[in-house]
Amino acid sequence: MSERQHERTYDEAEIKARLERELPHWHYEDGWIRRKYRTHSWKGTLMVINTVGHLAEAAWHHPDITASYAWVEVRLKNHAAKGITDKDFQLAKKIEEVVHWQPGKDGSALEGTPAEDQRFAYIKYDKD
């Protein structure tokens, strides 16, 4: 048997508890952990899709993605394990970290996109 067949899958209660604790903007529905990212336009939508695609390929764990003009939904589950595993939680955390990175707020030398000029806005950041 391959290593993938031995990956631990989580039950619904464990998934919901872990999402609440670690990924509060994600939810569990129909066997997937999910997150919808709101964007300002098609440009932002494509940036999110490409970011998720890069992270998924680097991780070798690929989500399902649905998109429209101003949003992207990312859905994760481990097909080989037939459920939600640590791979799903870890990739979701990395996606959150990268998509919601705001260098202008972390004290770095990188200033981030100008908040006062909406022409440059592309992600609708979470308020909390």
Side-chain angles (χ1 to χ4, degrees):
M1 295 189 144
S2 75
E3 183 178 323
R4 278 190 248 194
Q5 291 173 322
H6 295 292
E7 288 180 286
R8 179 190 192 285
T9 57
Y10 292 86
D11 66 33
E12 185 171 348
E14 292 171 314
I15 294 164
K16 288 180 175 181
R18 193 161 171 186
L19 290 175
E20 184 178 331
R21 187 174 63 250
E22 299 173 23
L23 292 156
H25 297 286
W26 289 69
H27 69 279
Y28 179 71
E29 181 183 341
D30 297 329
W32 300 82
I33 61 171
R34 301 165 177 253
R35 168 72 147 107
K36 186 177 277 188
Y37 293 97
R38 304 256 179 223
T39 67
H40 283 272
S41 68
W42 185 240
K43 173 181 75 172
T45 294
L46 292 177
M47 288 179 174
V48 171
I49 291 169
N50 286 321
T51 298
V52 171
H54 166 72
L55 295 172
E57 192 63 18
W60 201 245
H61 187 58
H62 304 95
D64 280 20
I65 298 173
T66 304
S68 190
Y69 177 79
W71 59 266
V72 177
E73 183 184 49
V74 179
R75 293 179 309 282
L76 287 163
K77 79 172 164 183
N78 189 321
H79 295 283
K82 296 182 174 65
I84 305 299
T85 68
D86 286 326
K87 287 181 179 181
D88 302 298
F89 290 110
Q90 289 176 17
L91 183 54
K93 285 180 189 177
K94 182 53 72 175
I95 291 167
E96 280 291 285
E97 176 187 326
V98 175
V99 169
H100 276 284
W101 179 51
Q102 296 180 64
K105 293 186 176 187
D106 71 5
S108 78
L110 300 170
E111 60 193 76
T113 55
E116 66 280 352
D117 191 337
Q118 289 298 296
R119 292 177 302 159
F120 300 109
Y122 65 97
I123 299 293
K124 292 187 177 180
Y125 295 106
D126 298 329
K127 301 287 186 217
D128 55 38

